[in-house]
Amino acid sequence: MKKKLFGLAALAVVTFGLVACGGAKDKTDDSKSAGSAKESSVLKVGASASPHAEILEQVKPILKKEGVDLEIVQFDDYILPNKNLAEGDIDANYFQHIPYFNLQVKENNYDFANAGGIHIEPMGLYSKRIKDIKDLKDGATIITSNSESDWGRIITILQDADLVTVKDGVDLETATFEDIDKNPKNLKFIHNINPEVLTTTYNNDEADLVAINANFAYSAGLNPLKDSVLLEKDNSPYVNIVAVRSEDKDSDKIKKLVDALHSKEIQDWILEKWDGSVKPVDK
């Protein structure tokens, strides 16, 4: 009888232990599930500080209402945002225009998709030496970035100002300085500087004209509409986009992000914030 009772007691202990372990496991699993749910609501987007990250900050509360926690990761260069996206460190990036995006995808074999165009930032040429392009001297030096996708953009601005022409049949979007046909003022071009250094180049008065991407100009306190000597026209194809890995193009979170960026509330805010020098688009 004692042996039988002892056996029952042992069985009860074992059974209790199994139930206890099972209960602990269930609790752990529940905790993991809760953590996974929390992680799934986070959307990490890489962006340049201005205007991209500033725009995303305005989008945060809109996405929060949609159940998406937007985390903004700021970058100060043009290489890491795409590299980090390819490696899965971020879910999307918002810093680059379409020609740069296309060039990066081609050169690096990135499996990326354009999730939507958001705005256009006008490229400007700035000077410490002249206020009017008519005062540009013969043999003047123009410094541009080493980003080849911007060269055609700059050449287009110069051609619109009757300062250069390109050879027949050249696509301006992909033009290089070797494609310049006529250069009556004998302009000299230096294009070996990283884009993020151009504002320093301008402040140091290192050339007659310095071509600066708008996001870096804003960060340095320059307004393209007011401070540039030359500014590209409104029909620019250089739309800034949200880029994602191709597999995530139809993601619910990405769609919510793009919809929020296209909302009237955000587009109106963009126009007011930058006095019309950042122009929102809706596709």
Side-chain angles (χ1 to χ4, degrees):
M1 182 66 176
K2 286 183 178 179
K3 288 183 178 180
K4 185 176 181 181
L5 288 172
F6 178 78
L8 289 172
L11 180 61
V13 170
V14 172
T15 303
F16 176 78
L18 289 171
V19 170
C21 289
K25 184 176 184 298
D26 289 343
K27 188 175 182 180
T28 302
D29 288 347
D30 288 345
S31 176
K32 286 182 179 178
S33 296
S36 298
K38 185 176 180 181
E39 287 173 12
S40 68
S41 72
V42 174
L43 181 65
K44 294 179 69 173
V45 180
S48 298
S50 181
H52 308 81
E54 293 176 78
I55 295 170
L56 289 174
E57 284 290 348
Q58 297 300 308
V59 169
K60 265 187 177 182
I62 297 176
L63 290 181
K64 189 70 175 178
K65 293 177 183 177
E66 295 286 331
V68 177
D69 295 312
L70 178 61
E71 182 179 330
I72 304 166
V73 182
Q74 288 195 26
F75 293 91
D76 59 6
D77 78 319
Y78 284 173
I79 303 299
L80 286 178
N82 280 332
K83 187 173 184 291
N84 279 204
L85 179 60
E87 293 173 353
D89 296 326
I90 55 178
D91 302 306
N93 66 45
Y94 173 38
F95 79 100
Q96 62 192 324
H97 55 60
I98 292 173
Y100 182 79
F101 170 82
N102 290 337
L103 183 64
Q104 286 294 297
V105 167
K106 180 180 179 181
E107 290 184 347
N108 298 284
N109 198 31
Y110 287 138
D111 188 12
F112 288 173
N114 173 355
I118 310 303
H119 73 268
I120 295 174
E121 301 170 23
M123 169 74 79
L125 277 75
Y126 301 81
S127 179
K128 291 278 189 180
R129 303 177 186 180
I130 62 172
K131 296 294 183 183
D132 192 312
I133 197 62
K134 294 176 182 178
D135 298 325
L136 190 66
K137 296 179 180 178
D138 189 270
T141 300
I142 299 176
I143 291 181
T144 79
S145 80
N146 56 11
S147 178
E148 188 174 340
S149 63
D150 278 335
W151 294 352
R153 189 178 191 182
I154 294 160
I155 291 168
T156 299
I157 297 171
L158 295 173
Q159 180 167 274
D160 288 341
D162 296 324
L163 290 170
V164 301
T165 61
V166 297
K167 301 169 185 174
D168 289 340
V170 171
D171 181 354
L172 281 171
E173 193 170 304
T174 57
T176 70
F177 296 103
E178 293 180 356
D179 293 319
I180 292 176
D181 181 26
K182 295 180 181 178
N183 181 5
K185 279 188 174 289
N186 301 303
L187 302 175
K188 299 173 183 176
F189 298 95
I190 299 173
H191 45 79
N192 59 357
I193 298 175
N194 289 345
E196 63 271 19
V197 183
L198 289 169
T199 53
T200 301
T201 300
Y202 163 74
N203 286 325
N204 290 342
D205 192 17
E206 296 178 29
D208 296 279
L209 290 172
V210 181
I212 305 176
N213 300 81
N215 59 309
F216 292 120
Y218 299 134
S219 297
L222 294 170
N223 183 313
L225 288 180
K226 299 175 182 177
D227 300 318
S228 64
V229 177
L230 286 176
L231 190 68
E232 72 180 320
K233 294 182 177 179
D234 287 344
N235 60 351
S236 167
Y238 293 84
V239 177
N240 281 237
I241 64 170
V242 171
V244 298
R245 291 182 293 277
S246 295
E247 64 195 60
D248 297 325
K249 185 178 180 181
D250 296 322
S251 158
D252 186 51
K253 288 186 293 184
I254 296 299
K255 287 182 177 179
K256 286 179 178 178
L257 171 64
V258 174
D259 285 346
L261 287 165
H262 285 164
S263 68
K264 188 176 186 303
E265 175 186 346
I266 295 302
Q267 293 199 335
D268 287 348
W269 182 85
I270 291 172
L271 287 170
E272 182 178 352
K273 170 71 175 177
W274 285 283
D275 297 324
S277 64
V278 179
K279 299 175 172 61
V281 300
D282 57 10
K283 61 181 179 179

